[in-house]
C-alpha cells in the first residue's frame, strides 16, 4: 500500500507564528485530506485538497487560518497560521488512492503552541 | 454518513478473541461498514470493510447482522500490539475517502 511521509513529526511553536506541515506520498493520489486530532479526541476533517483547485474546507475551518497547497498529485502542505495554544493538536494527512482502495494516513504532526 | 455508536473502552486478555461491537441503526443500503484502528502516536490504519456479508482478512473478521444495524469486529487472537483505538465508520463505497470518525473504542489488551 502507499506510504505518506509527513514532516515535521512534532514541533513546539510560539503563539502568533505559523507552521507548515508537509505530506509526501510515494504514489499519485487524486485526493488528499487533512485532519485535526485534539488531545484525547477523535479525528476531525479540516479540508479536502485536490490538485489544481482550491481546497474544500469543513464547517468551522477557514482558509485564512489553515491555508493548504496541492501543487501535484503526490504532495500537499497545511499551514497553521497565527497559532494560539488552542491549536495544539495532532495534524494528520490522508491520501485517497481511488479505484475503491482504502484511505491511508501519515504518522501525524504533534503540534504544541506555547 | 450514518452515525455509529461504540463502547468507549474494552479490555481483552492476550491470546483471547477481542470482539468489538458497533451500532449503526441508520445505515442506508449503499453504505459499507469500515473499521480503522489508531495505535498510540500513529496515524489510523485500515483493517477491514464489508457491506452485508461477513468478511475476513489477515488482520480480523467482520460480522454484520442480517438487518445491517450492527456489526462486530473480531481480532481472533489479540496481542499486546493490538492495543489501540478502534473506529467503526459507515460510508458509501467509492464515495471519496474523507472519513467521519466517531469516538471509537479504546481496546486494552492485557497480559
Amino acid at each position: 500500500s502507499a506510504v505518506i511521509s509527513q514532516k515535521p513529526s512534532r514541533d513546539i511553536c510560539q503563539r502568533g507564528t505559523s507552521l507548515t506541515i508537509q505530506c509526501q506520498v510515494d504514489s499519485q493520489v487524486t485526493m488528499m485530506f487533512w485532519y485535526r486530532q485534539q488531545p484525547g479526541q477523535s479525528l476531525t476533517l479540516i479540508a479536502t485538497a485536490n490538485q489544481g483547485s482550491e481546497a474544500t474546507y469543513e464547517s468551522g475551518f477557514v482558509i485564512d487560518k489553515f491555508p493548504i497547497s496541492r501543487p501535484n498529485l503526490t504532495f500537499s502542505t497545511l499551514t497553521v497560521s497565527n497559532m494560539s495554544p488552542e491549536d495544539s493538536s495532532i495534524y494528520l494527512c490522508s491520501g485517497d488512492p481511488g479505484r475503491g482502495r482504502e484511505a491511508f494516513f501519515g504518522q501525524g504532526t504533534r503540534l504544541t503552541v506555547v | 454518513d450514518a452515525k455509529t455508536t461504540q463502547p468507549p473502552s474494552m479490555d481483552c486478555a492476550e491470546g483471547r478473541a477481542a470482539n468489538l461491537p458497533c451500532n449503526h441503526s441508520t445505515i442506508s443500503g449503499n453504505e459499507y461498514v469500515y473499521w480503522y484502528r489508531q495505535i498510540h502516536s500513529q496515524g489510523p490504519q485500515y483493517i477491514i470493510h464489508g457491506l452485508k456479508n461477513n468478511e475476513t482478512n489477515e488482520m480480523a473478521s467482520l460480522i454484520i447482522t442480517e438487518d445491517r444495524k450492527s456489526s462486530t469486529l473480531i481480532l481472533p487472537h489479540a496481542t499486546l500490539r493490538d492495543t489501540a483505538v478502534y473506529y467503526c465508520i459507515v460510508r458509501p463505497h467509492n464515495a471519496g475517502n474523507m472519513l467521519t470518525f466517531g469516538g471509537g473504542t479504546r481496546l486494552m489488551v492485557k497480559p
Side-chain angles (χ1 to χ4, degrees), chain A residues 35 37 42 96 100-103, chain B residues 38 46 87 94 97 99 101-102:
Chain A
Y35 293 84
Q37 187 170 28
S42 185
D96 178 0
R101 291 171 292 173
E102 286 61 51
Chain B
Q38 186 176 25
Y46 165 80
Y87 296 101
N94 286 335
N97 265 310
L99 300 173
F101 288 83

Side-chain angles (χ1 to χ4, degrees), chain A:
Chain A
S1 60
V3 174
I4 296 181
S5 298
Q6 184 171 343
K7 294 190 293 187
S9 59
R10 60 178 61 230
D11 207 342
I12 300 173
C13 300
Q14 296 291 323
R15 68 177 68 199
T17 63
S18 298
L19 175 71
T20 296
I21 302 167
Q22 300 180 0
C23 279
Q24 177 74 55
V25 190
D26 66 353
S27 60
Q28 293 184 343
V29 292
T30 306
M31 290 192 288
M32 293 184 70
F33 306 94
W34 288 95
Y35 293 84
R36 180 176 73 183
Q37 187 170 28
Q38 295 178 300
Q41 303 295 313
S42 185
L43 285 76
T44 300
L45 181 66
I46 297 172
T48 301
N50 296 321
Q51 188 211 5
S53 62
E54 276 198 4
T56 302
Y57 289 82
E58 298 299 305
S59 175
F61 298 96
V62 295
I63 187 171
D64 290 346
K65 177 66 176 178
F66 298 102
I68 289 171
S69 78
R70 183 82 200 276
N72 56 53
L73 291 176
T74 63
F75 188 77
S76 180
T77 68
L78 170 78
T79 299
V80 187
S81 303
N82 188 25
M83 290 184 285
S84 67
E86 291 71 34
D87 294 320
S88 297
S89 293
I90 299 172
Y91 293 85
L92 299 110
C93 60
S94 171
D96 178 0
R99 301 179 188 173
R101 291 171 292 173
E102 286 61 51
F104 53 94
F105 287 79
Q107 293 299 294
T109 296
R110 183 179 294 273
L111 170 62
T112 302
V113 183
V114 297

Side-chain angles (χ1 to χ4, degrees), chain B residues 30-86:
Chain B
N30 67 336
E31 290 183 314
Y32 284 64
V33 180
Y34 285 76
W35 284 83
Y36 281 76
R37 74 179 181 184
Q38 186 176 25
I39 296 171
H40 183 62
S41 296
Q42 298 184 22
Q45 174 192 23
Y46 165 80
I47 301 173
I48 198 168
H49 74 278
L51 179 63
K52 56 182 178 181
N53 298 318
N54 298 338
E55 302 287 345
T56 296
N57 63 20
E58 65 279 4
M59 290 182 68
S61 294
L62 174 60
I63 309 298
I64 302 173
T65 58
E66 191 168 344
D67 64 6
R68 303 207 324 121
K69 293 185 177 181
S70 65
S71 60
T72 301
L73 178 74
I74 301 172
L75 308 178
H77 305 286
T79 71
L80 298 179
R81 288 175 294 180
D82 291 322
T83 292
V85 178
Y86 287 77

